[in-house]
Amino acid sequence: MNEIKIFSPATVANVSCGFDVLGFCLDSVGDTMVIRKTDKKGIFITKVEGFDLPYEAELNVAGVSALAMYNALDLDFGFEIEINKKIKPGSGIGSSAASAVGSVFGMNELLGRPFNKTELTAFAIKGEAMASKSEHADNLAPALFGGFTLVKSLSPLQILEIPTPSNLYATIIHPQIEIKTSEARAILPKEVALTDAITQWANFGSLIHSLHTSDYELIKSSLSDVIVEPHRSKLIPHYQDVKNATIEAGALGAGISGSGPSIFSLSNSLEISKNVKDAMKKIYSNTGIDFDIHVSKINTEGIKVL
Ligand code: HSE
């Protein structure tokens, strides 16, 4: 096999109280990429569609993660990468992550899978780090593993797969403004109050427990972020109105998707997630800001060959 086409899904990182460690995978939105072996040694970005991204491999997120993997091998051939970018950069639903994992996943398939998913995540971290100026994997791991993932540690890289309750649906509104992850990280405090930390880890622990036990009421009471949301929500127009409307429409909760501006909510039925979509639409229709909304089952498969 010399060429492969893949679907690299969008993700929701942080999931309220799980800043930098928890994420889940979406199934209704993602990029497609073609990875091809070439006689020439090296990594070459040969086509970019959808958004304006650099062709120099060293400056392209998919290229940087591909180079990290390529340099760990000793191959007498190279790879061409075509990117059909559908996830808008700076949207908060893992645009850079989809690029970062897509190249290494595709190359790994063409090579007969020499690396496992955790090792692929380690290569992808290099691409994500170039985009966001920070090494984290909460948006990469769910794209590769599917479902919910918990990044227990970066060094050594340890990723836990968390069960996905079967009736869980996500609704995500993406206001068409760009928030750079690096800027959304720069506004965060370097230290937090112990009382906030206690609240956060209690919610985080109970959120993980609720996912293991499919306890939707516990998911509802755990989806709260007292550390990051108070700062980042100021960057997102009408954030609190959207959040309130989703709860009124029956959602289990809502929060900032990744570093924003997208806002995610979780619901325990498809019907409710569609009602949440209508509620979000109602708020944003009056703002003059363009937006799109996705309703998605949690994607437990993750990245895949097309
Ligand atoms: N955990 C990261 C953040 C995800 O919120 O900054 C976005 O890259």
Side-chain angles (χ1 to χ4, degrees):
M1 188 165 55
N2 287 318
E3 180 177 308
I4 197 166
K5 187 173 186 185
I6 56 134
F7 171 75
S8 193
T11 51
V12 169
N14 300 329
V15 200
S16 295
C17 44
F19 179 66
D20 265 7
V21 295
L22 188 65
F24 65 81
C25 188
L26 297 171
D27 72 0
S28 60
V29 56
D31 298 342
T32 55
M33 294 169 74
V34 174
I35 319 294
R36 188 181 301 113
K37 283 187 193 169
T38 174
D39 290 340
K40 206 169 149 200
K41 287 171 97 171
I43 299 293
F44 308 96
I45 312 289
T46 51
K47 197 193 249 186
V48 178
E49 293 173 324
F51 291 94
D52 201 14
L53 300 172
Y55 275 79
E56 297 89 337
E58 298 78 8
L59 301 177
N60 182 297
V61 172
V64 170
S65 53
L67 280 166
M69 177 168 158
Y70 189 74
N71 292 336
L73 297 161
D74 184 20
L75 302 173
D76 60 0
F77 58 91
F79 293 94
E80 293 179 354
I81 301 171
E82 297 181 6
I83 305 166
N84 188 351
K85 188 106 210 97
K86 301 214 174 85
I87 315 170
K88 190 176 180 187
S91 57
I93 50 171
S95 180
S96 53
S99 292
V101 302
S103 57
V104 294
F105 173 81
M107 287 162 61
N108 198 48
E109 291 292 306
L110 291 178
L111 292 170
R113 299 189 190 159
F115 298 109
N116 65 31
K117 288 179 181 176
T118 300
E119 290 166 329
L120 293 181
T121 306
F123 296 128
I125 285 175
K126 302 301 172 196
E128 172 61 28
M130 188 194 63
S132 65
K133 319 260 181 292
S134 147
E135 295 208 344
H136 52 261
D138 57 330
N139 49 1
L140 304 164
L144 278 164
F145 287 82
F148 282 81
T149 57
L150 166 57
V151 182
K152 186 189 174 295
S153 78
L154 283 177
S155 182
L157 184 59
Q158 194 178 355
I159 296 161
L160 307 179
E161 292 182 75
I162 308 295
T164 302
S166 54
N167 284 332
L168 209 52
Y169 292 82
T171 313
I172 292 127
I173 182 165
H174 170 210
Q176 304 282 310
I177 56 171
E178 184 182 354
I179 295 180
K180 285 194 169 34
T181 297
S182 53
E183 289 166 14
R185 295 183 79 85
I187 64 165
L188 298 179
K190 298 285 171 282
E191 291 173 6
V192 299
L194 183 60
T195 47
D196 287 341
I198 293 167
T199 303
Q200 194 88 350
W201 64 55
N203 280 326
F204 185 66
S206 56
L207 178 59
I208 297 297
H209 181 74
S210 68
L211 294 170
H212 273 275
T213 53
S214 294
D215 184 338
Y216 295 99
E217 278 307 307
L218 191 58
I219 293 175
K220 187 172 184 173
S221 66
S222 306
L223 279 174
S224 168
D225 170 11
V226 297
I227 291 178
V228 174
E229 184 186 286
H231 301 279
R232 286 186 169 175
S233 58
K234 294 176 193 150
L235 304 175
I236 304 171
H238 310 281
Y239 177 76
Q240 200 55 48
D241 295 339
V242 171
K243 191 169 169 175
N244 293 345
T246 67
I247 310 290
E248 269 169 41
L252 299 170
I256 301 170
S257 176
S259 54
S262 290
I263 304 167
F264 80 94
S265 82
L266 287 172
S267 304
N268 63 355
S269 78
L270 181 58
E271 195 190 342
I272 296 174
S273 64
K274 287 180 178 166
N275 292 341
V276 169
K277 174 183 176 173
D278 293 340
M280 287 174 161
K281 193 172 170 183
K282 204 167 162 198
I283 301 284
Y284 252 79
S285 296
N286 297 323
T287 63
I289 302 169
D290 287 340
F291 62 93
D292 47 38
I293 304 181
H294 312 287
V295 173
S296 171
K297 190 146 181 52
I298 310 302
N299 172 356
T300 52
E301 186 186 3
I303 193 165
K304 63 181 179 191
V305 176
L306 292 173

